[in-house]
Amino acid sequence: MIKLRENKESTHHKPIKVANLPSKVYISLSQHFGAACEPKVSVGDEVKTGQLIGSLDKGLFSPVHSSVSGKVIAIQDCPHPSLGKAKAVVIENDNTDSKINESLKTEQEVNNLSVEQLRKIIFDAGVVGLGGAAFPAHVKLTPPKKIDSFILNGAECEPYLTNDFVLMKQKAGGILEGAKIVLKILGDPQCYIAIEDNKPEAIKIMWELIKDTNFKLKVLKSSYPQGGEKQLTKSVLNREVPSGGLPFDIGVVVHNVGTVFAIYEAVYKSKPLYEKVVTLTGSCLANPQNLLVRIGTTVRDLLDNCGSFKNEPAKIVFGGPMMGTAQFTLDVPVIKSTTGIIFFSKNELTNREDRVCCRCGRCVDVCPVKIMPAFITMATERDKFEVAKSYDVMDCIECGLCSYVCPARRDLVGLIKYAKSRIKNK
Ligand code: SF4
Ligand code: SF4
């Protein structure tokens, strides 16, 4: 792991601002790890905010809900931040924000719910991992073996992003209530709250709330990729997740603070996951913000909340600068896994060239999962995917550090992603 320049100063002091509701939302039916949902509405239907609009009868998926009230005007392929294009439900906003029944529960009512009832509420609300992976939360809360440790991930190690930080500052109480629900479902393992030492305000707020409880606070050195599940498990518990394995395999579950807050809202407020905090930042933006955004809002519509551009961006990235995905249109909508949107100017970009490896070994030294990016990418360039596989390419967490340190500016992570997709789709 290495220390990166943080670049969080533009937004870390900015409170969460509720974004203006757009005139239309483009709600993708592919917002989670697993199969895309089928639409459960038709063109012409009137829908309410929070109403189910996408689901499947079986398989690994998470339901999708409307983020505004209004009329379904199309179900069609639309821009998607990681897939290029995907089927989406387009809803024209009627500006009444008329919601489905979001009834409140008392603590006593929540305590009376069984583990099965809690899991069903979380599934029905469409909660997925909000740290970027979008893995359906109810699946992670159904571990195949006994769990002894739950890590609440507030590391937020990617540069530029501050959405988790502001959530911890402003919604710590809800996050802890969500964590209690997770603990009940997992059979009361030990809870560790992991926060990097560059977030002293969040650490102080959390400490005040947990100092007389069984929760343990772990203050971690700020380094990248500290927030990755495997790295976090090592840093907090000094346990190694085995190659090809998951934290489950060693009795650990990790959930991001945003996910746990969404679980709190689903259980206490009957609120489906139809909005989330997203950091909009970068040197091209006049007024960077942490925005509470309705899912399906396009970048173009969000810019109204940020004073638009100071200068024309040369690159727009969804997610952080290390793991994020470049976008080619302002018409791409926010999905559940969107953590941030960064607008880079031309002089901030690294020119990746097809240069020859000088065998310096830096990519190997820096790789947090201890694989050999140089050899993997040389094999990939020769279409030798079996060789790449034998070098454990599938363990790559796509953190981007190898590309970051490579003096030859080789697009190592790009080649590795390509090798992984070729092996998966074989
Ligand atoms: S090989 Fe994968 S895990 Fe290792 S540094 Fe490169 S992107 Fe990160
Ligand atoms: S960092 Fe770049 S140049 Fe150095 S060994 Fe790795 S791929 Fe080769």
Side-chain angles (χ1 to χ4, degrees):
M1 289 194 281
I2 65 172
K3 178 82 181 159
L4 298 174
R5 192 154 171 248
E6 289 169 6
N7 288 315
K8 293 180 188 264
E9 57 280 354
S10 302
T11 53
H12 86 280
H13 59 289
K14 300 251 177 106
I16 299 166
K17 176 180 162 186
V18 179
N20 303 330
L21 291 188
S23 58
K24 284 181 202 155
V25 286
Y26 301 78
I27 303 176
S28 178
L29 294 165
S30 302
Q31 300 210 42
H32 46 266
F33 183 93
C37 288
E38 293 291 338
K40 295 292 170 192
V41 286
S42 304
V43 173
D45 285 357
E46 300 282 345
V47 293
K48 291 187 172 185
T49 306
Q51 182 175 327
L52 181 78
I53 57 169
S55 189
L56 281 177
D57 293 333
K58 59 181 180 184
L60 178 62
F61 75 100
S62 184
V64 175
H65 302 81
S66 179
S67 59
V68 296
S69 58
K71 185 190 263 189
V72 177
I73 56 168
I75 299 172
Q76 62 188 35
D77 279 350
C78 291
H80 185 285
S82 54
L83 302 174
K85 285 214 165 198
K87 194 181 274 184
V89 178
V90 185
I91 300 170
E92 191 168 59
N93 187 359
D94 65 10
N95 293 310
T96 66
D97 203 20
S98 167
K99 296 191 169 76
I100 54 151
N101 184 20
E102 289 188 7
S103 59
L104 299 179
K105 289 189 191 69
T106 63
E107 191 176 353
Q108 187 60 51
E109 287 169 326
V110 171
N111 289 341
N112 289 341
L113 294 169
S114 68
V115 166
E116 287 67 33
Q117 286 171 319
L118 290 168
R119 271 202 202 102
K120 181 166 184 336
I121 291 170
I122 293 165
F123 165 71
D124 287 343
V127 181
V128 299
L130 297 188
F135 198 82
H138 65 282
V139 179
K140 256 193 179 180
L141 294 175
T142 316
K145 52 166 68 171
K146 183 161 172 50
I147 298 300
D148 61 58
S149 303
F150 167 54
I151 303 175
L152 183 53
N153 185 357
E156 197 168 57
C157 61
E158 272 264 15
Y160 288 89
L161 303 182
T162 55
N163 52 307
D164 284 349
F165 170 63
V166 292
L167 196 70
M168 287 190 282
K169 261 188 9 177
Q170 293 183 234
K171 306 285 181 186
I175 293 169
L176 290 181
E177 289 308 320
K180 288 181 197 167
I181 293 165
V182 170
L183 291 174
K184 176 170 174 175
I185 295 172
L186 294 176
D188 282 324
Q190 176 62 56
C191 179
Y192 300 89
I193 303 175
I195 308 177
E196 286 193 341
D197 60 6
N198 60 352
K199 303 176 186 66
E201 292 163 80
I203 291 167
K204 187 165 181 285
I205 290 168
M206 282 291 179
W207 174 245
E208 285 302 322
L209 288 174
I210 64 153
K211 62 186 177 192
D212 299 322
T213 70
N214 289 331
F215 286 73
K216 290 188 178 165
L217 186 62
K218 289 276 183 180
V219 178
L220 306 173
K221 208 170 112 203
S222 162
S223 57
Y224 181 84
Q226 185 73 269
E229 284 196 345
K230 294 182 181 181
Q231 290 66 42
L232 207 55
T233 304
K234 174 74 177 160
S235 297
V236 172
L237 299 168
N238 197 24
R239 289 190 210 166
E240 298 269 4
V241 178
S243 171
L246 293 166
F248 275 160
D249 298 323
I250 51 169
V252 181
V253 166
V254 182
H255 267 304
N256 166 269
V257 288
T259 312
V260 171
F261 184 69
I263 288 173
Y264 158 74
E265 290 204 309
V267 173
Y268 273 89
K269 300 182 178 177
S270 312
K271 182 179 169 186
L273 179 53
Y274 60 73
E275 62 182 357
K276 68 167 306 195
V277 181
V278 178
T279 301
L280 272 82
T281 188
S283 61
C284 296
L285 215 49
N287 188 12
Q289 297 285 346
N290 296 298
L291 294 176
L292 182 63
V293 175
R294 296 290 172 100
I295 304 294
T297 309
T298 63
V299 177
R300 192 181 299 284
D301 285 331
L302 286 175
L303 286 172
D304 290 347
N305 301 273
C306 304
S308 203
F309 295 133
K310 279 195 294 196
N311 40 56
E312 203 57 34
K315 188 175 183 183
I316 301 172
V317 170
F318 262 45
M322 299 299 288
M323 295 185 78
T325 313
Q327 304 300 319
F328 301 96
T329 168
L330 293 176
D331 295 322
V332 66
V334 164
I335 59 173
K336 292 176 184 178
S337 60
T338 309
T339 49
I341 306 172
I342 312 176
F343 302 85
F344 290 106
S345 62
K346 196 171 177 196
N347 59 10
E348 292 173 298
L349 302 184
T350 304
N351 191 13
R352 295 271 161 220
E353 298 159 26
D354 192 14
R355 284 167 60 177
V356 179
C357 168
C358 63
R359 302 192 182 235
C360 67
R362 286 188 206 172
C363 57
V364 180
D365 292 342
V366 83
C367 177
V369 295
K370 301 183 178 68
I371 58 176
M372 294 195 279
F375 291 162
I376 291 169
T377 51
M378 282 182 218
T380 303
E381 284 168 325
R382 290 163 181 77
D383 285 347
K384 295 194 181 306
F385 300 109
E386 281 308 312
V387 177
K389 197 174 169 191
S390 72
Y391 283 124
D392 295 325
V393 65
M394 301 312 279
D395 280 348
C396 169
I397 58 168
E398 301 176 11
C399 69
L401 273 184
C402 48
S403 297
Y404 180 78
V405 299
C406 177
R409 299 189 168 183
R410 284 168 57 76
D411 182 14
L412 298 172
V413 70
L415 285 163
I416 288 171
K417 284 181 186 175
Y418 175 64
K420 286 172 75 176
S421 73
R422 286 294 299 263
I423 293 165
K424 262 189 217 152
N425 297 323
K426 198 178 154 197

